[in-house]
Amino acid sequence: MPEATSATPVHLQLRAAGTGVVLRLSGDELPQILHWGADLGAASDEQLREFAANAEPALDNSVDVPVRISVVPEHAAGWMGTPGLRGHRSGQAWTPQVGHLNHTVQGNTVTSRGVDRNSELELEVEIQLLDSGLLRLRASVTNLGSSDYNLEQLVVALPVSGSAVETMDQAGRWSKERTPQRRPLTVGTHLRENRRGRTGADAATVLLAGEEGFGFGHGEVWGLHVGFSGNHLTYVEHTSAGKTLLGGGELLLPGEIVLKTGSSYSTPWVYACHGVGLDAAARQFHNHLRSRPQHPTTLRPVTLNTWEAVYFDHDLTRILALADKAAELGVERFVLDDGWFRGRRDDTAGLGDWYVDEGVWPQGLQPLTDHLATLGIEFGLWFEPEMINPESDLAREHPDWILQPVGRVPLPARHQQVLNLAIPEAYDYIRDRISELVGRYNIGYIKWDHNRDLVDAGSTATGSAGVHEQTLATYRLLAELKDRHPGLEIESCSSGGARVDLGILEHTDRVWASDCIDPLERQQILRWTAQLLPPELVGSHVGSPHSHTTGRTHDLSFRAATALFGHYGIEWDITLLTAAEQQELAHWIGVYKEHRTLLHQGDVVRVDHPTPEISAHGVIASDGSAALFEFTVLSRPSCWPPVPVRLRGLDPERSYSIRQLGPTPPLGTNNNSPAWMNDGGIRLSGAMLAAAGLAMPPLQPEHSVVVYLEAADHVQAPLAAS
């Protein structure tokens, strides 16, 4: 690219997967995004100059020059909104203005480095347009001065088209994660701050701005996600000058980052999606995650977790019986949950003492692991490495390893505190205990839990706030364990779904979406988790008939069909199954095994249905050869019958055979079943299914049916070996 100087700004176009970005790169200003959205097509240098001239900001009565908004917005440039960089040197150097820029371009990656000689700071910004069409950015600041620089905030921000007039993000709580919330975009800032020290059940997840009435399949949308598991913030800001920005980064606690001479701080990656409809925006995240070298590529094994089957009641005979029944059903991974280590008879004691409890397991875990090996089932084990019970040998020996401010111990939560992994000795202890157990018992899978917020998370080693260092130490620990044990898979669980982000997923292989596996609640949780994650990364289990989190009772067909659209598993005392339940559950496991390649490689489609009591979603093979959809009646509609369910994304030119998978769920009285539910099913074209839709069956409330569509010219691959 030509050199960018103050006299000759360069305009650069990035293109990938239908997304286009146009950048203004100047020798005396940080990079500015002139366009982020739909691909503009190939453009010459002259066309880009004229495009930039057309996009030249008008005067807005604030200053006498056009206000250019960089990806790290500067107050000194006339920006009256949230500044990207905030900090000071004992009250001085508080208004940075970066110049003397050097820009380098490699493919679709732009790196810009500049300095503020007055503030004695160097700022580097990296902008990447990934092959998925996802845009990601991060910034770094380095202290060039001789005095300390107190960094208060460093965020990146992206401009959004003026056609965006609504925002959407997510809220939630324990067992009710990822609840969507929508509001008009008005002048001001919609700020989501997370101070929990973990991503949070109430996390914004993806903060979106879009055209009026945008849905899953329509309306242009722009979204932002901060790929970080500690404190973070996201915001959408709309000014009286008509500018809209999406921004985000790490939320720094007071004094958490003090840069000494020559030291640097880097933000986490901030990811930005764009598409026409929420599904198109989500697909950029899905395609990016699937393209990573560490993304799981083996068939996702049917998993049984023991928690809701036995809780803390660990008895070898009972657990071996559970394993035998699991083998009969076709389970491929068996995870022993909480309760196996010293002193852990309930949740008041034991965290930190990662030794097998000799009183409960007198021969260690070997009898169980040996038995699982004879059954051909992989063994997994539960840990909560970042936590410590005050009632533990570790806490009594090392009370200074607990994260705490000077002078007081933080409020307890679940009878536990947080172990400071930024202390090298604490880190080494946890790493070595987990590593020894993984090696001894040939553990292939860890369920890594994290059951409390980081309140008053100070370091006894430094006296400063410790969330930043704790988060980075956790990442290092996960990475080191995986390096030591190739093939080890790790699940991120955090009071259920309170740590779901792209930072933790750099080091883990799936997340536990929620502690609530009531299928009615899971319909919403899975639907909106899909805004960020593809199904193969989301643990999705069949629970017992009576949900222990909500008290509701549901038929197996609803529980099993809902769980199908994720990484399938069981969390239920299956030794109590009736013969009919065993037969039906085995059938559903067979359905999952037969179709998991489609489920875990296909494109996610969520249906915009005009009847709010009806939910429909599915996956379509990338080549259009097959699809699986779930139709659900959440509650009793006020009108019946509803309009058919329109299925977007199928090949309009191909004919699809359509049939039901699984047993027929209970149907309403005085209603007839649609033709596709009859033996033999029916055939319709992709164009018909998109334009006219598929008839909705007369399901009773809180029931689902699974629909399989296969192109007439497609020969299904043989069933994979279980």
Side-chain angles (χ1 to χ4, degrees):
M1 61 173 281
E3 182 180 0
T5 69
S6 58
T8 58
V10 171
H11 303 102
L12 177 70
Q13 183 182 33
L14 307 178
R15 304 171 66 202
T19 297
V21 177
V22 177
L23 294 167
R24 183 181 189 273
L25 303 176
S26 167
D28 58 1
E29 294 172 322
L30 289 165
Q32 296 136 34
I33 294 178
L34 304 183
H35 170 78
W36 162 47
D39 188 352
L40 302 178
S44 66
D45 290 344
E46 181 180 358
Q47 286 176 313
L48 289 176
R49 284 194 296 272
E50 293 182 353
F51 179 88
N54 185 57
E56 181 75 5
L59 297 179
D60 64 2
N61 293 320
S62 60
V63 292
D64 291 340
V65 296
V67 176
R68 302 189 187 280
I69 308 168
S70 76
V71 294
V72 182
E74 295 176 302
H75 183 71
W79 172 243
M80 298 302 171
T82 301
L85 174 60
R86 288 195 294 110
H88 62 93
R89 301 179 190 275
S90 300
Q92 304 299 307
W94 57 272
T95 176
Q97 185 175 33
V98 177
H100 312 285
L101 271 294
N102 177 56
H103 308 280
T104 59
V105 181
Q106 291 185 321
N108 270 353
T109 298
V110 179
T111 304
S112 302
R113 184 179 293 110
V115 296
D116 179 350
R117 292 174 179 169
N118 292 325
S119 297
E120 298 181 293
L121 298 173
E122 179 182 82
L123 191 68
E124 179 177 293
V125 177
E126 190 172 357
I127 303 170
Q128 295 183 345
L129 183 60
L130 304 172
D131 291 343
S132 63
L134 202 63
L135 184 64
R136 70 175 184 178
L137 306 89
R138 65 182 174 187
S140 302
V141 61
T142 301
N143 181 10
L144 304 179
S146 58
S147 61
D148 291 350
Y149 182 75
N150 293 277
L151 181 64
E152 295 178 347
Q153 179 171 288
L154 180 58
V155 297
V156 296
L158 299 97
V160 173
S161 166
S163 64
V165 296
E166 292 182 352
T167 68
M168 175 183 282
D169 57 0
Q170 297 174 12
R173 59 187 180 92
W174 176 76
S175 285
K176 188 72 174 177
E177 296 88 343
R178 282 167 293 287
T179 302
Q181 54 184 15
R182 193 168 186 140
R183 65 195 292 268
L185 180 61
T186 56
V187 171
T189 302
H190 176 54
L191 172 64
R192 297 295 307 278
E193 289 189 333
N194 183 291
R195 299 175 181 271
R196 297 180 179 277
R198 55 175 175 170
T199 319
D202 59 344
T205 310
V206 181
L207 176 58
L208 296 144
E211 293 180 324
E212 184 175 3
F214 65 83
F216 293 118
H218 64 276
E220 196 171 10
V221 294
W222 295 260
L224 183 137
H225 169 79
V226 178
F228 192 64
S229 310
N231 293 336
H232 62 278
L233 62 91
T234 53
Y235 64 90
V236 58
E237 189 164 37
H238 185 62
T239 72
S240 58
K243 303 297 184 183
T244 302
L245 296 185
L246 285 171
E250 184 179 4
L251 190 157
L252 298 174
L253 296 177
E256 202 162 26
I257 302 295
V258 178
L259 298 178
K260 303 293 183 183
T261 302
S263 63
S264 302
Y265 164 83
S266 296
T267 71
W269 282 112
V270 174
Y271 296 82
C273 61
H274 167 266
V276 176
L278 293 166
D279 283 352
R283 197 162 298 133
Q284 292 189 339
F285 284 111
H286 298 182
N287 290 343
H288 163 66
L289 289 164
R290 288 171 170 171
S291 72
R292 302 170 303 153
Q294 77 269 32
H295 190 74
T297 55
T298 58
L299 296 175
R300 298 292 77 207
V302 179
T303 299
L304 183 138
N305 185 283
T306 65
W307 177 242
E308 290 192 21
V310 302
Y311 297 99
F312 289 108
D313 185 14
H314 283 211
D315 174 81
L316 178 60
T317 301
R318 183 181 181 188
I319 290 175
L320 291 179
L322 200 62
D324 288 336
K325 185 63 70 173
E328 290 179 31
L329 289 167
V331 167
E332 298 158 310
R333 173 182 283 162
F334 187 97
V335 181
L336 184 66
D337 210 285
D338 195 358
W340 57 268
F341 49 98
R342 284 182 185 167
R344 191 66 166 178
R345 303 283 49 83
D346 55 35
D347 66 354
T348 65
L351 286 176
D353 296 341
W354 300 112
Y355 297 85
V356 179
D357 193 312
E358 300 87 348
V360 179
W361 297 88
Q363 301 174 67
L365 300 178
Q366 205 71 47
L368 173 60
T369 58
D370 287 348
H371 189 67
L372 290 170
T374 65
L375 297 173
I377 297 177
E378 182 185 80
F379 178 56
L381 193 60
W382 180 95
F383 290 89
E384 194 171 359
E386 299 153 84
M387 300 297 151
I388 183 170
N389 284 124
E391 185 57 37
S392 67
D393 291 340
L394 185 66
R396 285 184 284 268
E397 186 175 350
H398 296 288
D400 56 315
W401 287 6
I402 294 174
L403 275 172
Q404 57 193 288
V406 175
R408 66 173 180 268
V409 176
L411 294 169
R414 289 187 53 144
H415 313 287
Q416 62 193 51
Q417 297 288 347
V418 184
L419 185 69
N420 187 356
L421 294 179
I423 296 175
E425 295 81 5
Y427 176 100
D428 292 348
Y429 165 78
I430 293 295
R431 177 202 60 203
D432 293 345
R433 288 309 311 137
I434 295 175
S435 187
E436 192 274 333
L437 289 161
V438 169
R440 182 193 302 181
Y441 294 117
N442 192 28
I443 294 170
Y445 179 84
I446 288 174
K447 180 179 177 181
W448 187 293
D449 216 336
H450 181 291
N451 278 315
R452 67 157 291 166
D453 294 331
L454 274 61
V455 178
D456 263 1
S459 170
T460 57
T462 65
S464 301
V467 173
H468 173 80
E469 289 299 331
Q470 177 78 358
T471 306
L472 299 186
T474 299
Y475 289 165
R476 290 195 304 273
L477 178 56
L478 290 162
E480 188 170 356
L481 287 168
K482 284 203 157 195
D483 286 343
R484 285 190 175 198
H485 304 281
L488 176 68
E489 291 194 2
I490 301 175
E491 173 186 55
S492 171
C493 176
S494 184
S495 303
R499 188 152 65 177
V500 175
D501 63 81
L502 297 196
I504 201 68
L505 275 165
E506 283 297 295
H507 308 285
T508 57
D509 303 279
R510 82 169 197 171
V511 300
W512 185 229
S514 177
D515 280 342
C516 181
I517 48 180
D518 174 330
L520 186 62
E521 299 294 339
R522 275 280 177 144
Q523 286 285 326
Q524 172 214 284
I525 292 167
L526 293 174
R527 190 175 186 84
W528 290 103
T529 300
Q531 198 57 46
L532 182 67
L533 304 183
E536 65 270 25
L537 294 179
V538 183
S540 189
H541 291 186
V542 181
S544 65
H546 184 78
S547 171
H548 92 143
T549 53
T550 68
R552 294 192 187 102
T553 298
H554 289 112
D555 289 350
L556 178 54
S557 63
F558 187 34
R559 286 145 46 216
T562 298
L564 186 64
F565 291 84
H567 180 179
Y568 209 61
I570 304 167
E571 197 145 345
W572 180 13
D573 187 353
I574 54 176
T575 64
L576 304 178
L577 295 179
T578 65
E581 287 174 328
Q582 179 164 336
Q583 182 180 8
E584 184 176 350
L585 183 54
H587 170 84
W588 283 109
I589 290 172
V591 169
Y592 169 75
K593 289 182 176 180
E594 183 177 358
H595 297 289
R596 57 183 157 188
T597 298
L598 168 60
L599 286 163
H600 297 162
Q601 295 180 10
D603 294 335
V604 171
V605 175
R606 294 164 292 178
V607 175
D608 293 296
H609 196 279
T611 303
E613 296 87 358
I614 289 175
S615 178
H617 68 98
V619 291
I620 300 176
S622 57
D623 63 359
S625 60
L628 269 177
F629 276 85
E630 181 186 11
F631 295 177
T632 303
V633 174
L634 302 171
S635 61
R636 191 169 178 82
S638 58
C639 298
W640 196 270
V643 299
V645 181
R646 294 183 178 185
L647 303 182
R648 288 180 288 107
L650 295 163
D651 187 333
E653 303 298 325
R654 296 167 91 170
S655 176
Y656 291 87
S657 63
I658 304 165
R659 60 186 173 89
Q660 173 189 341
L661 292 183
T664 299
L667 303 179
T669 57
N670 301 320
N671 291 112
N672 60 309
S673 300
W676 62 265
M677 292 184 72
N678 299 332
D679 289 343
I682 62 172
R683 291 179 184 269
L684 294 173
S685 71
M688 292 173 177
L689 290 162
L694 193 62
M696 181 71 193
L699 300 172
Q700 290 185 357
E702 300 183 23
H703 284 89
S704 289
V705 65
V706 176
V707 189
Y708 180 60
L709 304 96
E710 186 173 25
D713 57 345
H714 174 65
V715 178
Q716 188 175 2
L719 177 63
S722 62

